[in-house]
Amino acid sequence: MSGLLRPGAHRAAGVADDAAVLAALLRVESAWARALVAAGIATEAEAAQVAAAAAGVDVDLPALAVASEAAGNPVVPLVALLRDAAGDAGGAVHRGLTSQDVLDTALVLLARDAVARVRADLVVAGDALAVLARTHRDDVAVARTLTQWAVPTTFGLRAAQWLAGVGDAVARLDGLTFPVQYGGAAGTRALLADLAGPDAGHSDRAAPALADALGLTATDLPWHTRRAALTGIGDALTTATDALGVIAADVLLLGRPEVAEVREGAVAGRGGSSTMPHKQNPVLSVLVGAAARQAPALAGQLHLAAAGAVDERPDGAWHAEWPALARLLELAVTTASQAAELVAGLQVDPVAMASRVDAATASGALDTRGATGEAGRLVDLATTCWEETRG
């Protein structure tokens, strides 16, 4: 899909585009050659030669994409190119692996790096929200339930609730694991064991060595048809976009001219209209809100694919994951970056909030019994929890 239809996609450049996927695939193949040394199946010289070939192989990405159709995935044609580039060490390329091992591990690498970027921007957003919560701890505002005025609250408590949502998302991301994939042709790891022979006895070292080389988690069993690793990543990223979507929705409501309690920070060249020069549109909130509406369907696609991962190798369910995961990674990275900027620049008008409380109270439209209650204590609790969560 063109970046023209994904405003802000430049923020996620290199997250899961073709060049990033290719680089991850080559990293896996290079790391596997080193893992074969640990398993006693390849020599140090062969591993070095494969690594050099992976670093220097000339790949025509459009041509590789076309060639991928013949095998149903890009690994098969890439392995052929890499074996040619490795020369007499070509036999050590991809030895004992299957295409899904390489592509799954490459996608996990991309996901791990994307999650780290999302977390970093969530921390930026959370820190800014903590400041807002403390600054406006006692600034009274009208609370709304089912779209109608209800009782007084404080803007500090509203910001603290946003902060708690971001904290929940960070905790979900921190709970993720990023496993390598290694099962061989049908998940039995038989070929590598045969190559190692009865006297080598080191084939079980390959998966941990691969995990160590890539900074991923080793697994006892391959997960070709158990897709919880990827659905978990999708769910955690969607938890993040959900939390950010709530912030965007509230900012859009509170920033309407007839409400005018908050507004996005003004940035030169942003928010203009093609026909109405007087307008300053809340573009970041709009884009964050749009992303929050897209992410759940992408995570749902991962679950739909997981439910159809039959036999020892899925017949299309695996393939259906790729575009959904790639898009979700890009979307989450973009959205977290936009939301961090949105929150950092948010402008709050306590006077407008107070005047609305006064008017609503005078008209009898606001129940002021108990006033703001323990709002301040809840703000303190939320900001303390955030400090523990952010690390």
Side-chain angles (χ1 to χ4, degrees), residues 57-380:
V57 66
D58 184 17
V59 178
D60 182 333
L61 276 172
L64 182 65
V66 171
S68 298
E69 183 181 22
N73 71 75
V75 178
V76 174
L78 179 61
V79 167
L81 292 173
L82 188 55
R83 281 175 174 156
D84 286 343
D88 57 8
V93 172
H94 198 74
R95 185 184 296 172
L97 292 181
T98 191
S99 298
Q100 188 171 358
D101 293 334
V102 180
L103 187 48
D104 277 352
T105 302
L107 290 175
V108 170
L109 283 174
L110 296 180
R112 180 197 61 188
D113 294 346
V115 165
R117 290 180 59 174
V118 171
R119 190 193 192 284
D121 278 326
L122 289 179
V123 168
V124 172
D127 287 346
L129 288 172
V131 171
L132 283 174
R134 293 188 183 106
T135 301
H136 300 283
R137 182 180 186 277
D138 301 315
D139 288 339
V140 179
V142 170
R144 298 170 176 85
T145 62
L146 303 181
T147 75
Q148 303 301 300
W149 291 342
V151 296
T153 184
T154 68
F155 185 78
L157 182 54
R158 180 172 287 136
Q161 289 286 9
W162 295 342
L163 175 61
V166 171
D168 290 342
V170 169
R172 286 291 297 272
L173 295 179
D174 287 347
L176 292 174
T177 58
F178 301 96
V180 296
Q181 178 72 282
Y182 163 53
T188 65
R189 301 180 177 174
L191 179 57
L192 195 62
D194 288 345
L195 289 170
D199 297 327
H202 300 320
S203 61
D204 59 345
R205 297 181 182 178
L210 178 64
D212 185 61
L214 296 172
L216 300 178
T217 302
T219 60
D220 293 330
L221 295 172
W223 44 278
H224 289 159
T225 56
R226 296 181 297 108
R227 312 307 287 173
L230 295 189
T231 57
I233 290 168
D235 292 345
L237 291 175
T238 303
T239 296
T241 58
D242 288 349
L244 301 177
V246 168
I247 297 172
D250 278 346
V251 171
L252 288 169
L253 169 65
L254 299 175
R256 289 174 179 267
E258 59 269 27
V259 180
E261 294 179 0
V262 304
R263 62 182 180 275
E264 285 190 14
V267 175
R270 177 185 292 158
S273 166
S274 62
T275 58
M276 294 174 283
H278 68 282
K279 290 190 72 180
Q280 184 66 41
N281 294 317
V283 173
L284 289 178
S285 298
V286 168
L287 294 178
V288 171
R293 290 167 171 83
Q294 296 173 66
L298 296 169
Q301 177 62 51
L302 296 179
H303 282 281
L304 184 62
V310 298
D311 299 324
E312 280 66 52
R313 187 67 46 76
D315 55 348
W318 176 49
H319 306 71
E321 291 174 346
W322 312 338
L325 180 61
R327 176 63 182 137
L328 184 54
L329 296 180
E330 292 175 338
L331 192 69
V333 168
T334 299
T335 306
S337 174
Q338 291 169 334
E341 186 174 347
L342 164 66
V343 172
L346 194 65
Q347 299 178 19
V348 181
D349 190 339
V351 174
M353 292 178 184
S355 65
R356 181 154 290 107
V357 171
D358 291 342
T361 300
S363 68
L366 193 68
D367 185 347
T368 59
R369 288 174 296 178
T372 56
E374 296 190 343
R377 187 182 69 82
L378 294 174
V379 168
D380 295 340

